Amino acid sequence: MLWILLYSLGSRPAATEAGAVSLDTLSFHNYGEGLTGVFFNVFLITMRTAGLGTILAALIGFPVAYAMAVHVPPRWRSILLFLLILPYWTSFLLRTFAWRIILAPQGTLSDLLHTLGIINGRLLILDTNAAVQLGIVYNYLPVMILPIYVALERIDKSLLRASMDLGAGPIRTFFQVTLPLAAPGLLGGLLLTFILAAGDYVVPTILGGTKGLMVGNLVATQILASQNLPLGAAMAVMLIALLALIVVSAAMLLWGVRQMLRASRGAPL
């Protein structure tokens, strides 16, 4: 990390100089360049894609985790958890490549939708941002489900029964008891999914093509293709700083929510 930070302050050496980075003069020029023009737009696209993917994963993952923790008998939970992580036994790269076969214009999904009359022509989702979004949700959905499941599974069921005995219905019990107690797991899932999605390089490269550009691809392009290691390092540092800021903001938000809940219940702050 320190070397990356140091490289980000360097400059691209002249063609006659040896080495990938010149550290003769240190400056923040690369950071200014990384926040201009197309580079800044790629950062916005990355945050939007990772944010939307995280929200979709939460909307899908929370009901799944809730069903596993509350409604599934204990003897079946281990089997479902095994099935949940089973795709991770296969290479991340291979699983992402498999989606190219599914989403291809002449692929399985396109033929099925055409047969059912849902689409008239061929499915043209491959090599678009929508394909990247789908790949992110698919690959990181277990990362969202597992922390939420752990938080829900550890909730004392007597608290839920006590809430019902005191006159609260299922919906009120869920929002006033279950959801606040599961908040740490939900926040953990949101942060893990967002951080991994924002720094992803494989999914946008394989499923997005030129239309699925994200910061990870931009960093790789600057380092490998453009041979501009200082600018690539600056972009990497900016992404890390942005993710760190989001983590700190989420922690402060969780602390604020807890204080509000304690105050609403009359507990001392």
Side-chain angles (χ1 to χ4, degrees), residues 143-236:
V143 179
M144 176 67 71
I145 293 176
L146 288 176
I148 299 176
Y149 167 78
V150 172
L152 289 170
E153 200 271 338
R154 290 180 177 178
I155 295 178
D156 189 352
K157 302 302 184 292
S158 63
L159 296 176
L160 305 180
R161 292 191 294 268
S163 175
M164 302 288 283
D165 291 341
L166 292 172
I171 296 178
R172 186 175 180 183
T173 298
F174 174 80
F175 282 103
Q176 293 192 350
V177 180
T178 304
L179 190 58
L181 292 176
L186 177 59
L187 181 62
L190 290 171
L191 288 178
L192 285 174
T193 304
F194 182 82
I195 290 172
L196 293 174
D200 199 331
Y201 168 75
V202 174
V203 172
T205 300
I206 295 176
L207 298 181
T210 58
K211 297 181 181 179
L213 192 62
M214 293 177 65
V215 174
N217 310 80
L218 206 59
V219 172
T221 300
Q222 293 300 321
I223 294 175
L224 301 177
S226 301
Q227 299 294 309
N228 194 343
L229 181 57
L231 182 56
M235 291 178 179

Side-chain angles (χ1 to χ4, degrees), residues 15-260:
T16 57
E17 298 179 7
V21 182
S22 175
L23 300 177
D24 296 335
T25 303
L26 302 181
S27 69
F28 292 94
H29 171 74
N30 296 310
Y31 291 93
E33 186 177 352
L35 292 174
T36 59
V38 65
F39 300 144
F40 183 73
N41 290 333
V42 172
F43 269 93
L44 293 180
I45 292 173
T46 299
M47 295 299 103
R48 183 190 65 192
T49 303
L52 182 58
T54 301
I55 294 173
L56 292 174
L59 293 176
I60 299 172
F62 195 96
V64 174
Y66 183 83
M68 291 173 56
V70 177
H71 297 293
V72 174
R75 65 177 181 275
W76 291 104
R77 292 175 187 171
S78 299
I79 298 176
L80 292 180
L81 287 174
F82 170 76
L83 294 176
L84 180 66
I85 63 174
L86 183 61
Y88 280 78
W89 290 23
T90 307
S91 168
F92 186 96
L93 187 64
L94 185 61
R95 285 186 284 117
T96 306
F97 263 116
W99 276 101
R100 288 198 64 88
I101 302 174
I102 299 173
L103 300 177
Q106 306 294 334
T108 307
L109 182 60
S110 180
D111 291 339
L112 177 61
L113 295 177
H114 184 73
T115 302
L116 296 175
I118 299 177
I119 58 176
N120 295 324
R122 288 295 174 179
L123 185 65
L124 302 176
I125 190 176
L126 194 60
D127 295 328
T128 66
N129 190 260
V132 175
Q133 204 77 76
L134 177 61
I136 286 177
V137 173
Y138 165 76
N139 281 304
Y140 298 120
L141 187 58
V143 179
M144 176 67 71
I145 293 176
L146 288 176
I148 299 176
Y149 167 78
V150 172
L152 289 170
E153 200 271 338
R154 290 180 177 178
I155 295 178
D156 189 352
K157 302 302 184 292
S158 63
L159 296 176
L160 305 180
R161 292 191 294 268
S163 175
M164 302 288 283
D165 291 341
L166 292 172
I171 296 178
R172 186 175 180 183
T173 298
F174 174 80
F175 282 103
Q176 293 192 350
V177 180
T178 304
L179 190 58
L181 292 176
L186 177 59
L187 181 62
L190 290 171
L191 288 178
L192 285 174
T193 304
F194 182 82
I195 290 172
L196 293 174
D200 199 331
Y201 168 75
V202 174
V203 172
T205 300
I206 295 176
L207 298 181
T210 58
K211 297 181 181 179
L213 192 62
M214 293 177 65
V215 174
N217 310 80
L218 206 59
V219 172
T221 300
Q222 293 300 321
I223 294 175
L224 301 177
S226 301
Q227 299 294 309
N228 194 343
L229 181 57
L231 182 56
M235 291 178 179
V237 172
M238 287 190 291
L239 178 61
I240 294 171
L242 181 59
L243 294 177
L245 178 62
I246 292 174
V247 171
V248 173
S249 300
M252 294 177 62
L253 176 62
L254 180 61
W255 179 83
V257 170
R258 286 179 173 175
Q259 296 302 310
M260 290 176 59

